[in-house]
Amino acid sequence: MREAHARQESPALARRSLSAALGGQNDGIAAMTYKLLVLAVAAFVLLGANVANHAPGACLGSLCFDQSDRPQENPLVARFGPGHIANAGGAHCYLVDGGIFFMFNADSHREQDRELDWVYVGSRPWPGCDQSLPPNETVPYLSTPEGLHVGDSEGRLRDLYGRAPGFKVKKQGKSRVATFGPCAPDCALLETTVVIEGERVVSIMIANHE
């Protein structure tokens, strides 16, 4: 009984402590601040759990490719609009704030519930996506869960993924291209490609080469 009573008192005690820290001026503000703190902690825990369930480099945001059920096209189109359609295969191309391009392509072999073949974010458009359109809402898939963004240094790329299976960097024209298999050999057809120019990341692509 005493332990149960203590558990029930803990939230109230935390709110009273927060109210005191705010000078006791407004208990309503303290209560609201406490709720926001609880929500923030819960979101942090859920994000951490999501990242832990996937191989490093297998996701852009929460779009992950290292499990049997890949992200689907329809929910993304419903959310962001169709964007500019390119390459006759149905690549959806968007230009988001800051001049960053976000694109994805779905499996053309399906009529319904089409899963994504690849997802791309970069400072330049994918071929055929020069006329990319703004999305209907903010795109939250512009970096990896581990924290790699377009514009980051090659050093940060190596710090995050240098030990990933098959990690290698090759010169390709004026660029350097890093590739690795996030979960090889379990998902050997999955590959992450990062293009580097001037020692900075200019694009990140995650593709399933089925």
Side-chain angles (χ1 to χ4, degrees):
M1 287 293 290
R2 183 176 299 174
E3 291 180 0
H5 180 70
R7 285 194 297 269
Q8 292 172 357
E9 285 293 319
S10 294
L13 180 59
R15 287 193 294 271
R16 288 198 297 271
S17 298
L18 187 56
S19 178
L22 292 171
Q25 297 178 2
N26 194 323
D27 288 341
I29 294 177
M32 180 59 70
T33 304
Y34 175 79
K35 290 180 181 179
L36 291 174
L37 286 172
V38 170
L39 290 173
V41 171
F44 178 81
V45 170
L46 288 174
L47 179 61
N50 179 61
V51 172
N53 290 334
H54 296 281
C59 312
L60 270 178
S62 60
L63 299 179
C64 298
F65 289 75
D66 59 342
Q67 295 184 353
S68 57
D69 294 327
R70 301 197 302 275
Q72 292 191 357
E73 174 187 41
N74 286 344
L76 296 178
V77 172
R79 184 174 181 183
F80 304 123
H84 171 69
I85 309 299
N87 301 336
H92 298 271
C93 312
Y94 307 86
L95 176 61
V96 303
D97 292 341
I100 297 296
F101 293 89
F102 170 72
M103 306 157 203
F104 58 84
N105 191 79
D107 181 1
S108 60
H109 297 96
R110 294 190 182 189
E111 293 287 335
Q112 298 179 338
D113 300 327
R114 301 202 321 162
E115 294 182 335
L116 301 193
D117 285 332
W118 54 261
V119 63
Y120 168 99
V121 61
S123 58
R124 62 191 57 180
W126 187 256
C129 287
D130 301 72
Q131 304 299 317
S132 296
L133 298 174
N136 291 343
E137 62 178 80
T138 301
V139 176
Y141 310 121
L142 303 183
S143 62
T144 68
E146 297 77 34
L148 186 69
H149 302 73
V150 171
D152 281 349
S153 67
E154 181 177 347
R156 178 157 179 77
L157 166 68
R158 291 180 178 275
D159 287 344
L160 290 172
Y161 305 114
R163 295 184 180 181
F167 181 90
K168 58 187 176 183
V169 179
K170 290 186 177 181
K171 186 174 177 57
Q172 185 172 306
K174 296 181 179 180
S175 306
R176 289 160 55 77
V177 180
T179 56
F180 60 94
C183 47
D186 294 333
C187 44
L189 297 177
L190 181 61
E191 184 176 62
T192 297
T193 302
V194 181
V195 178
I196 306 154
E197 292 184 3
E199 299 184 356
R200 294 287 170 181
V201 171
V202 297
S203 68
I204 305 168
M205 182 178 188
I206 302 174
N208 189 307
H209 298 292
E210 287 187 351

